[in-house]
Amino acid sequence: MLKLNASYSKKVPAGEEYSSQSYHASVEVELPDGLTQDQLQTRIHETFDLVRNSVEAELHGKSPANYGGRPAAGAPRNGSQRSRSGVRQNEAPASPKQLSYLLDLARQRGITPQQIAARFQVPDIQHLTRQQCSDQIDEWRAA
């Protein structure tokens, strides 16, 4: 088992002279043994994109689920239960762990991240909600 650590940091001016704000995100994922060099490079790229997009979404005051102007998700299954941030739980962004597992299952089936994004009509898989990701994982596991 390999471990991949992806981090992204960005400093921006904070309004006062010589001051700045720093934004940082880091994620660690486990990768299966036996990946080819191309598969490993793809996983590194996808993981880094996920971390970078999360920092950029924070920087621009948007949640990752809404970064890039994604339309709101459909009605949640469990009513209108909301988290402390006011986002419906089923509309919350998919977790890095969910996305990693979804990508593993997709690779096993020869499905690209772009095909997954197209199915859910989002710009890229980082815009999937927890519910969308969960539904796709459940569908593939049942098959």
Side-chain angles (χ1 to χ4, degrees):
M1 185 75 51
L2 297 171
K3 285 190 178 184
L4 168 61
N5 291 297
S7 295
Y8 182 77
S9 295
K10 188 167 187 175
K11 280 190 174 185
V12 294
E16 295 180 28
E17 192 173 348
Y18 303 113
S19 69
S20 63
Q21 290 181 323
S22 181
Y23 294 81
H24 176 86
S26 179
V27 67
E28 180 177 290
V29 295
E30 291 183 354
L31 302 176
D33 291 331
L35 293 177
T36 67
Q37 185 175 354
D38 288 339
Q39 290 170 326
L40 182 59
Q41 187 64 36
T42 298
R43 292 297 299 269
I44 291 169
H45 178 72
E46 290 169 348
T47 305
F48 182 76
D49 276 350
L50 176 66
V51 175
R52 182 182 57 224
N53 289 342
S54 295
V55 169
E56 292 297 330
E58 285 295 321
L59 182 65
H60 298 293
K62 300 176 183 177
S63 72
N66 294 325
Y67 190 64
R70 184 183 67 79
R77 287 184 185 173
N78 64 349
S80 60
Q81 187 175 5
R82 293 182 180 266
S83 68
R84 288 182 186 166
S85 67
V87 175
R88 286 190 176 124
Q89 287 181 351
N90 289 341
E91 292 177 0
S95 70
K97 206 171 209 178
Q98 266 187 313
L99 289 171
S100 178
Y101 186 53
L102 179 70
L103 289 171
D104 283 342
L105 293 173
R107 268 190 275 296
Q108 292 170 6
R109 289 162 176 73
I111 298 171
T112 67
Q114 293 80 12
Q115 289 170 315
I116 298 168
R119 176 177 181 196
F120 289 99
Q121 299 176 343
V122 295
D124 57 54
I125 64 165
Q126 285 79 20
H127 292 89
L128 291 176
T129 65
R130 286 184 185 189
Q131 191 62 54
Q132 289 171 321
C133 201
S134 180
D135 289 346
Q136 186 62 67
I137 288 169
D138 290 345
E139 180 183 318
W140 283 342
R141 288 180 65 199

